Amino acid sequence: MTRPPCEISWFSALCDDDYEFLGVPDPMLRSSWEHCRDIVMQAEAGGFDNILLPSGYELGIDTTAFAAGIAPLLKRMRLLMAVRIGEMWPPQLARQIATIDRMLGGRLTVNIISSDMPGEKLASAPRYARTVEAMSILKTMLNGQPLDHDGEFWKLKLDPPRIGTLSGKAPLLYFGGLSEDAREAAAKGCDVFLMWPDKKETIAAIIADMTARAAKYGRTLRYGYRAHMIVRDTETEARAAADRLLSKLDAATGDAIRAKSLDSTSVGVQAQAALREAAAADDGYAEANLWTGVGRARSGCGAAIVGDPDQVLAKLNDYRDMGIEAFILSGYPHAAEADLFARHVLPKIDHGPLV
């Protein structure tokens, strides 16, 4: 069958999330300007369409500053800049987005995170309501329109900033979350709804639910899938690489890593934990080629597609047939796995940036 092109993105470990052995810190792999820059440049050289720059105020380095620093070094690839809404003043964020987009030649996309203000804790419903307001403000201002916003969290009457994006339009807003509040926020405001790994029937159910929710607001969503990769010449080698990745992890260290994450109690993280626990009896494989071992030492995205190049390609194509248009992939160590995926799988996929 003929499939439309999909966007294939990689991941730069700005939040101290790079290992040779999960749970064993390596000074050479800690997040720094140099290390994260090298991952981004590896992804561009490998032919990826985009790269996620994650954000966390307790870990790693600042995402917006990093995006501005890396932008002039890129010739072709997009950036997917994560922004934590709880930390941002939307008019200032709009100006930052527009400036970095121009530095990139119009190639910026934005991952919206419904975060708390550092040091504060807001209940789920108002936190996501604030995120919906922020997405509306950003879209209005970045579409070059005057803003007259009378909301619960911001009351703003402003002309758009003089500097807009190169296209004159707001960039695509990527967003994920599985709670009721998160799903409603996504249906109201985002462009690309991101999902973490799960069984295919679960992914299909989420897509159906989100399509119906968006339709209530007269909107349509596009769908993205975030997963780790372990691809080798043979399935035996790939499974051995997965086992090696966990070979120095003890349970207490894994528990501590997961607990440290800001989203460790979210519905999405709980779903990843349930997927991992259900797969425990099958060497951690929730279904063919979907391995949950990564989640033993990582909050958030907790599973990897493991196999030979044809198996990995078939898995991605299964998701494409379900309606996934964007993939955000990663692997450990990130630069090395980016190279393996770029050589073994990427040339076999019809891919390009989302438009």
Side-chain angles (χ1 to χ4, degrees):
M1 65 180 293
T2 301
R3 301 179 180 91
C6 61
E7 180 177 77
I8 304 290
S9 304
W10 199 250
F11 175 95
S12 186
L14 271 67
C15 298
D16 291 333
D17 180 41
D18 204 1
Y19 299 96
E20 181 179 359
F21 299 97
L22 279 178
V24 181
D26 184 337
M28 298 297 293
L29 299 178
R30 285 181 65 85
S31 67
S32 65
W33 159 252
E34 294 81 6
H35 178 58
C36 297
R37 173 201 62 200
D38 290 348
I39 296 172
V40 174
M41 301 313 290
Q42 176 73 57
E44 175 159 88
F48 288 89
D49 304 310
N50 203 342
I51 186 162
L52 174 60
L53 308 179
S55 179
Y57 61 76
E58 291 185 0
L59 296 168
I61 57 181
D62 183 75
T63 306
T64 307
F66 180 88
I70 201 75
L73 304 183
L74 299 179
K75 303 289 193 293
R76 174 197 55 79
M77 190 171 64
R78 289 184 173 189
L79 292 179
L80 177 53
M81 181 177 76
V83 296
R84 304 182 67 83
I85 292 302
E87 301 180 49
M88 301 295 185
W89 181 253
Q92 178 192 23
L93 177 57
R95 190 168 72 246
Q96 291 171 329
I97 288 170
T99 302
I100 296 172
D101 178 79
R102 285 184 172 266
M103 295 169 71
L104 272 171
R107 303 193 308 276
L108 185 66
T109 53
V110 178
N111 178 201
I112 298 289
I113 300 174
S114 184
S115 74
D116 283 310
M117 182 79 75
E120 297 181 0
K121 191 72 174 176
L122 196 62
S124 174
R127 177 164 52 82
Y128 280 106
R130 179 173 63 188
T131 302
V132 172
E133 283 192 33
M135 288 191 285
S136 175
I137 291 168
L138 290 174
K139 286 189 173 185
T140 299
M141 300 192 79
L142 292 168
N143 283 331
Q145 299 165 345
L147 178 69
D148 189 355
H149 180 84
D150 184 15
E152 179 183 355
F153 295 92
W154 293 287
K155 299 183 186 302
L156 299 166
K157 192 165 186 175
L158 295 168
D159 291 330
R162 182 180 68 81
I163 297 296
T165 62
L166 199 62
S167 69
K169 299 293 184 183
L172 291 173
L173 301 183
Y174 296 59
F175 178 90
L178 288 182
S179 69
E180 179 69 19
D181 295 327
R183 292 185 191 219
E184 281 297 295
K188 292 174 182 177
C190 81
D191 302 302
V192 184
F193 182 73
L194 296 175
M195 290 166 279
W196 285 335
D198 212 315
K199 292 184 177 181
K200 286 187 284 188
E201 58 266 28
T202 303
I203 297 297
I206 294 170
I207 291 174
D209 176 64
M210 292 307 303
T211 298
R213 287 175 188 263
K216 291 189 307 183
Y217 302 106
R219 306 184 69 242
T220 57
L221 295 174
R222 305 171 84 171
Y223 295 100
Y225 189 84
R226 168 92 179 89
H228 303 286
M229 288 286 126
I230 302 177
V231 59
R232 299 294 185 272
D233 287 328
T234 68
E235 182 180 14
T236 298
E237 290 174 293
R239 291 175 74 109
D243 292 339
R244 181 180 184 274
L245 188 61
L246 284 183
S247 62
K248 298 185 179 183
L249 178 72
D250 64 78
T253 299
D255 291 344
I257 291 171
R258 293 196 307 275
K260 190 174 183 180
S261 173
L262 295 173
D263 62 359
S264 60
T265 60
S266 75
V267 174
V269 168
Q270 291 169 2
Q272 293 291 281
L275 182 72
R276 184 173 66 254
E277 289 161 7
D282 297 306
D283 295 328
Y285 285 82
E287 62 184 15
N289 305 108
L290 185 65
W291 178 66
T292 63
V294 173
R296 288 176 55 190
R298 192 184 195 282
S299 187
C301 175
I305 297 173
V306 178
D308 65 36
D310 290 338
Q311 291 172 319
V312 170
L313 178 65
K315 196 79 170 171
L316 294 176
N317 284 338
D318 284 346
Y319 296 127
R320 293 171 71 189
D321 293 341
M322 295 165 63
I324 303 292
E325 294 184 73
F327 294 93
I328 302 172
L329 309 176
S330 56
Y332 295 102
H334 291 294
E337 199 68 39
D339 177 60
L340 287 164
F341 186 89
R343 288 190 285 113
H344 289 302
V345 183
L346 196 56
K348 302 178 181 181
I349 303 175
D350 183 10
H351 67 96
L354 284 187
V355 295

